[in-house]
Amino acid sequence: MAQLQRPEIAYMNGKLVQWDQAVLHVGCEAVIRGLNVFEGVKAYWQPDRSLKIAMAHQHYVRLCRSARLLHMPCAVTYEEYVSAIDQLIAALAKPDRDMWARTTLFAIDGHWGDNTSTDLVLTAYHQDKSPSKPIRMGVSTWRRSADVSLPPRVKTGSNYEVSRLARIEGRTRGCDDMILLNPSGRVAEATASCILMVRGDTVYTPPPSEGALESITVDAVESIASSLGIVFIRRPIDRTELLIADELAICGTLHEITVATSIDGFALSEKSPILGAIQRRYLDAVRGMNPHPAVELTSLPSVRGKQ
Ligand code: PMP
């Protein structure tokens, strides 16, 4: 699983700041109610030695959608969003590492929805270029919340309290990541990614109405599967289907497609032929080795010349 190490610089209040200066007031709603919405974006080195972000526009649109659902104004334009990522990544980029940036709108003023104002804050972390190693998974006793309590469709930090509990539980059971069921006991998603399941020669994933985030990577995978001639279906998944699945993987911006070797101690195919093929095609697309129409890449102009 991807690791995040503390960087030296962050982006806040429209500019780069030292890490220790990127602070929020204890009285703001971002601190007292965890009011924020965020996106994780990944930047990959390309064959022409430029660094590009995958799906920047889709992430910006989802950030605005999450903000809207929580009645948080988003004063940042798409151009300002990309420029902020460009500035921070240019300051931190290293030629041998890709980068992942957390881009968060924090509620810095206002209360209970009155006079809310927000600030875009970014932190960015180096990432290994090697494809992620297979993981062991389990099904958590914790549940993804319902749309009428804390909507999973909203990408807000407070939705990750249950993910944190599930990961802590997972560690005690020797699992690298955990699957959260929805309130009806069907599969929702993993702690920070969606679920892909193979039975026979078909890939299945639960739709957002089952408690999964509206995933940008799953949309790309659906299109990649279609170009590879693999059938891809969105439908509810029962817990027991996981245990008899032929292949399983988590799927998201940070974890890309990371295949699982076991689920609650049940062994899965070591080779993951179908999800492995999708993973390779996805990585070739984000790295610009073999572009795919469903994988959009956005240049970071300030990074040029840093390699
Ligand atoms: N579910 C959760 C809870 C996530 O945090 C993520 C990562 N953003 C995903 C699913 C996958 O979404 P995406 O493919 O858009 O990164």
Side-chain angles (χ1 to χ4, degrees), residues 85-102:
I85 298 171
D86 180 45
Q87 289 174 54
L88 182 61
I89 290 192
L92 295 171
K94 290 184 183 165
D96 54 337
R97 313 291 300 279
D98 292 325
M99 292 208 84
W100 180 82
R102 182 183 287 115

Side-chain angles (χ1 to χ4, degrees), residues 226-296:
S226 153
S227 3
L228 295 174
I230 299 165
V231 181
F232 184 99
I233 294 177
R234 296 177 194 250
R235 65 139 169 90
I237 295 179
D238 285 329
R239 177 184 182 154
T240 48
E241 285 196 278
L242 296 173
L243 308 180
I244 54 171
D246 294 310
E247 300 176 40
L248 274 182
I250 56 172
C251 173
T253 303
L254 178 60
H255 301 298
E256 295 144 345
I257 294 100
T258 299
V259 299
T261 49
S262 64
I263 170 82
D264 279 340
F266 286 68
L268 292 154
S269 148
E270 281 286 319
K271 293 202 177 92
S272 294
I274 294 180
L275 295 177
I278 292 176
Q279 180 196 41
R280 285 189 294 280
R281 186 66 188 89
Y282 178 79
L283 291 176
D284 282 353
V286 289
R287 294 187 188 290
M289 317 279 271
N290 185 5
H292 189 280
V295 175
E296 286 172 29

Side-chain angles (χ1 to χ4, degrees), residues 6-305:
R6 190 189 132 151
E8 289 149 28
I9 304 172
Y11 177 98
M12 188 172 203
N13 200 15
K15 57 181 187 302
L16 298 183
V17 292
Q18 288 301 311
W19 181 264
D20 293 344
Q21 283 160 10
V23 290
L24 293 164
H25 197 275
V26 291
C28 75
E29 260 190 322
V31 174
I32 60 176
R33 296 193 185 94
L35 185 53
N36 66 71
V37 292
F38 76 102
E39 285 296 321
V41 296
K42 192 149 181 202
Y44 294 90
W45 287 106
Q46 305 292 306
D48 66 359
R49 302 174 80 199
S50 65
L51 193 55
K52 291 188 177 169
I53 323 174
M55 320 290 202
H57 192 254
Q58 289 90 331
H59 283 288
Y60 173 74
V61 168
R62 192 172 61 189
L63 184 75
C64 296
R65 229 162 43 211
S66 295
R68 181 184 152 114
L69 284 167
L70 291 186
H71 303 268
M72 296 170 70
C74 176
V76 181
T77 64
Y78 173 60
E79 288 69 30
E80 288 164 345
Y81 181 69
V82 172
S83 162
I85 298 171
D86 180 45
Q87 289 174 54
L88 182 61
I89 290 192
L92 295 171
K94 290 184 183 165
D96 54 337
R97 313 291 300 279
D98 292 325
M99 292 208 84
W100 180 82
R102 182 183 287 115
T103 67
T104 310
L105 267 190
F106 284 109
I108 54 164
D109 213 348
H111 279 283
W112 297 118
D114 276 339
N115 302 318
T116 308
S117 66
T118 60
D119 185 30
L120 178 68
V121 178
L122 270 60
T123 50
Y125 307 86
H126 295 115
Q127 295 292 309
D128 279 346
K129 284 185 177 175
S130 43
S132 46
K133 296 200 173 62
I135 56 170
R136 288 159 304 175
M137 299 202 69
V139 179
S140 178
T141 56
W142 297 98
R143 299 264 169 119
R144 187 53 89 214
S145 60
D147 188 58
V148 287
S149 35
L150 192 53
R153 182 172 278 109
V154 182
K155 197 161 165 58
T156 175
S158 44
N159 252 333
Y160 290 77
E161 297 298 354
V162 72
S163 296
R164 181 173 175 274
L165 290 170
R167 283 209 193 179
I168 291 168
E169 178 187 21
R171 259 176 247 142
T172 67
R173 285 166 41 189
C175 297
D176 303 299
D177 197 12
M178 299 296 274
I179 291 173
L180 292 159
L181 304 178
N182 63 25
S184 307
R186 292 185 300 273
V187 174
E189 56 183 346
T191 57
S193 43
C194 286
I195 293 294
L196 303 174
M197 175 187 78
V198 172
R199 295 192 64 191
D201 51 12
T202 302
V203 180
Y204 299 94
T205 194
S209 53
E210 290 291 293
L213 185 71
E214 294 184 351
S215 160
I216 295 162
T217 320
V218 168
D219 287 351
V221 161
E222 180 172 30
S223 180
I224 285 172
S226 153
S227 3
L228 295 174
I230 299 165
V231 181
F232 184 99
I233 294 177
R234 296 177 194 250
R235 65 139 169 90
I237 295 179
D238 285 329
R239 177 184 182 154
T240 48
E241 285 196 278
L242 296 173
L243 308 180
I244 54 171
D246 294 310
E247 300 176 40
L248 274 182
I250 56 172
C251 173
T253 303
L254 178 60
H255 301 298
E256 295 144 345
I257 294 100
T258 299
V259 299
T261 49
S262 64
I263 170 82
D264 279 340
F266 286 68
L268 292 154
S269 148
E270 281 286 319
K271 293 202 177 92
S272 294
I274 294 180
L275 295 177
I278 292 176
Q279 180 196 41
R280 285 189 294 280
R281 186 66 188 89
Y282 178 79
L283 291 176
D284 282 353
V286 289
R287 294 187 188 290
M289 317 279 271
N290 185 5
H292 189 280
V295 175
E296 286 172 29
L297 299 172
T298 302
S299 296
L300 296 176
S302 307
V303 182
R304 280 204 167 275

